[in-house]
Amino acid sequence: MEEEHFPLPQSGLKQDFGKLQYGCEHYRRRCKIRAPCCDRIFTCRHCHNEAMTSLSNPKDRHELVRQDIRQVVCLICNTEQEVAKVCRKCNVNMGEYFCDICKFYDDNTEKKQFHCDACGICRVGGRENFFHCERCGSCYSTPLRDNHKCVENSMKSYCPICWEFLFDSIKDTTVMPCGHTIHWECFSEMESMNQYRCPICLKTVVDMSASWALLKMEIECTPMPEEYSHEVSVHCNDCSHISKVRFHILGHKCSQCNSFNTWRTSSGGRQ
């Protein structure tokens, strides 16, 4: 059986040649990047970071600054060259979406990528669907424009569940009612485990009105013995009010906002 020989691509190829056929688990693209920090070639910065942050020697671990990328390698003709959208040799788009600021390539334009000058990085989801909150320091979806609590640089922090840096994470994020941010999948997992409080500030982040009503009813139906009939001081995590309430083993309701998300500040006791 004769060995097949495929000619190397020459200039003049259509720019969409090989679209969506190359890349990695993170992005579809037709080039690799040369990381200036370690002079090694990777398909994308996430591939680089995963490899470099898992090195056995902590001193060798590092992450790639995307804006520092200067050289890329075309995956169609294997030509190394300066960062550009179109390969100088075979004339294909190395990425249907290309950002010269972020040195970012992606063939899957259904993500509706756009560059936010205020964030300094590329986002996905369509520019028309997002606004930049100066105080929070990041882009949020338009329904949150007048419907979220601002926390200074809240996106420039780590997910309180998985501890991944949120600002440039490729996972979906959400803003909790308290203003702190978290990965959407981490928030969903937290809910599935009946965790209703923000891991950072301990405020209630889901609607607990039905649960509070059931707990109130259960407390009313379960009177405490006479020897435990005394008051305790409780601090409310939701409104920060300190209340004097009757002790009950099942919980203590804030006298200000009626939340049961409280903790005891005194043991109380009979006089």
Side-chain angles (χ1 to χ4, degrees), residues 10-24:
Q10 301 298 317
S11 60
L13 288 176
K14 292 184 178 179
Q15 289 191 342
D16 64 352
F17 180 86
K19 178 181 175 181
L20 296 173
Q21 296 178 26
Y22 300 83
C24 61

Side-chain angles (χ1 to χ4, degrees), residues 4-59:
E4 291 184 303
H5 295 277
F6 296 95
L8 288 174
Q10 301 298 317
S11 60
L13 288 176
K14 292 184 178 179
Q15 289 191 342
D16 64 352
F17 180 86
K19 178 181 175 181
L20 296 173
Q21 296 178 26
Y22 300 83
C24 61
E25 62 178 304
H26 306 107
Y27 303 111
R28 296 283 88 190
R29 50 172 58 177
R30 284 162 280 175
C31 69
K32 291 186 176 183
I33 59 174
R34 182 177 289 279
C37 45
C38 53
D39 200 34
R40 295 177 61 182
I41 293 176
F42 296 88
T43 307
C44 76
R45 69 181 183 88
H46 295 292
C47 292
H48 168 278
N49 292 345
E50 288 173 3
M52 295 297 105
T53 56
S54 62
L55 293 174
S56 57
N57 187 346
K59 293 183 179 180

